[in-house]
Amino acid sequence: MKKRRNRTQKIWRNILNIFFNSDNDSPAFRTSLPDQRAVLCRSGVLCLCVVSLILPIEWVQHRRLINTVSAYIASATDEEYDEISWQLRHDLVYSDFGQNKENFVRYIPNTSDLCPTCSTNESAQAFLVCTNTGEFYEMDVYADGFQPDIHYGAVHMSNGYDEVSQTALSAARTPDQKRTTIELRRKRGIVSIHRMKALFCDNCIHNILTATEDAAVGEFVIFDSGRKKFYPVDDEIEVRIGDYNIVTTEISGTYKITVTYVK
C-alpha cells in the first residue's frame, strides 16, 4: 500500500514539474512558480464565478417552465387537457425528435417477443401496417387464397382505427375491377415509439423510421412482405409490389391509396 502511494505521489510530482518548473526551456513556462500558481488560482476562481452565475439562471428558467406547464394542466378542462398535452408533446418533444430520431429510440428498451414484419408466412404480397398497433391490413386485390380468374361479383369492405393517432381506415376491394381502394382519414398523426418497441424488433423500427423520415404520415407504412421493405404513405408516391401497382395521393388531409392488379 505504501509503495503504491509513493508511486502515485511520484507520478503527480512529475506532472506538476512539467507545468510549474521554472527551469523549463519553453518560453511558456519561464514565469516564476508563484506567478504560475497565482494565474491558475485566478482562472479557477473565474470559472467558479461563471458557473455560479449560469446555474441560477438555468434553474430559474427551468422552474418557470415547470410552473407554466403545471398551471395550464391544473386549470384545464378534459377537452383542453387533451389539446394541451398534444401541444406540449409536439412543441417540446417532436421538435427535437424530428432532428435525430435514433438518439431517442436507442434509449427505449425493446420488449417485443415476435416481430410481425419479420415473419415469413404472409397471406398477401402488400400490407398497410399501423406502427402504433402492429395491425396488418391486406392491400392485395386477390387475397385469402382466391385467384384472379375467379369471379367475385361483390365489393369487399373492411375498416380499421388507430386510437393513438386517431386515424381511421376504410378499404374497398373490387376484384372485378382488379382494384383495391384505401382511405386514411387522419386527425393527430401521433407515433408512439414506446408501442413500436413492444411490437417490432429494433431493425424493423429503424427501417420504418427511415422510410417515413420525410413523409407526412408516420402512423401507417406500406410493407412489401416478399422483400421485407417499407414504403411511406405520402402524396404522389408510386411503388410496385409483386403483382400490384400502388399509388398514393393526398386531398385535404385524406390519403387515398389505389392498388391495381397489373400482372
Side-chain angles (χ1 to χ4, degrees):
M1 188 71 180
K2 184 177 180 181
K3 290 182 178 179
R4 183 180 302 173
R5 183 170 60 253
N6 293 335
R7 191 181 303 112
T8 303
Q9 291 176 352
K10 184 178 180 180
I11 293 173
W12 276 109
R13 192 179 301 112
N14 293 334
I15 294 175
L16 292 174
N17 287 336
I18 294 175
F19 293 97
F20 298 119
N21 189 358
S22 59
D23 296 332
N24 196 304
D25 294 334
S26 175
F29 299 106
R30 288 180 181 175
T31 57
S32 63
L33 184 59
D35 290 341
Q36 292 176 7
R37 289 178 175 174
V39 170
L40 286 178
C41 289
R42 293 192 188 99
S43 300
V45 172
L46 179 61
C47 291
L48 289 175
C49 292
V50 172
V51 172
S52 300
L53 290 174
I54 293 177
L55 287 180
I57 295 175
E58 291 291 333
W59 183 84
V60 170
Q61 292 178 345
H62 176 73
R63 290 303 305 172
R64 183 178 300 172
L65 175 62
I66 295 299
N67 291 336
T68 301
V69 172
S70 301
Y72 270 105
I73 293 178
S75 61
T77 62
D78 292 340
E79 293 79 8
E80 292 173 339
Y81 178 82
D82 293 337
E83 182 178 353
I84 291 172
S85 61
W86 179 86
Q87 192 65 39
L88 287 173
R89 180 186 299 218
H90 183 275
D91 293 342
L92 299 181
V93 179
Y94 283 174
S95 58
D96 292 333
F97 179 79
Q99 295 176 4
N100 195 343
K101 297 178 182 178
E102 296 297 335
N103 285 340
F104 288 84
V105 174
R106 65 180 180 179
Y107 293 116
I108 302 175
N110 192 296
T111 58
S112 62
D113 295 327
L114 179 62
C115 178
T117 52
C118 289
S119 174
T120 57
N121 299 321
E122 303 294 358
S123 59
Q125 300 177 46
F127 290 91
L128 193 63
V129 181
C130 180
T131 58
N132 287 323
T133 64
E135 291 290 333
F136 277 50
Y137 301 93
E138 293 184 357
M139 303 177 71
D140 292 21
V141 179
Y142 305 103
D144 303 325
F146 292 99
Q147 300 298 323
D149 56 347
I150 298 178
H151 184 75
Y152 282 67
V155 177
H156 303 263
M157 303 293 297
S158 59
N159 298 280
Y161 183 73
D162 173 23
E163 70 278 4
V164 177
S165 63
Q166 298 184 1
T167 299
L169 175 150
S170 61
R173 182 188 303 169
T174 53
D176 290 344
Q177 300 178 12
K178 300 182 179 181
R179 179 176 299 176
T180 296
T181 303
I182 303 172
E183 287 191 357
L184 291 178
R185 294 176 296 277
R186 307 176 69 230
K187 188 172 182 179
R188 293 189 173 181
I190 295 176
V191 178
S192 173
I193 299 299
H194 292 276
R195 293 202 177 196
M196 290 183 67
K197 280 284 189 172
L199 297 169
F200 306 95
C201 66
D202 285 339
N203 184 56
C204 287
I205 291 176
H206 171 78
N207 294 334
I208 290 173
L209 295 179
T210 300
T212 60
E213 184 175 4
D214 298 322
V217 180
E219 64 272 26
F220 280 90
V221 64
I222 299 172
F223 178 57
D224 185 338
S225 63
R227 294 186 293 174
K228 306 299 179 184
K229 188 173 182 180
F230 299 93
Y231 298 94
V233 177
D234 207 347
D235 190 28
E236 298 182 355
I237 293 292
E238 183 173 355
V239 296
R240 175 70 182 268
I241 298 179
D243 301 332
Y244 299 95
N245 190 60
I246 301 174
V247 179
T248 302
T249 56
E250 184 268 336
I251 301 176
S252 301
T254 298
Y255 287 82
K256 181 179 179 180
I257 305 173
T258 303
V259 184
T260 307
Y261 182 77
V262 293
K263 183 177 180 181

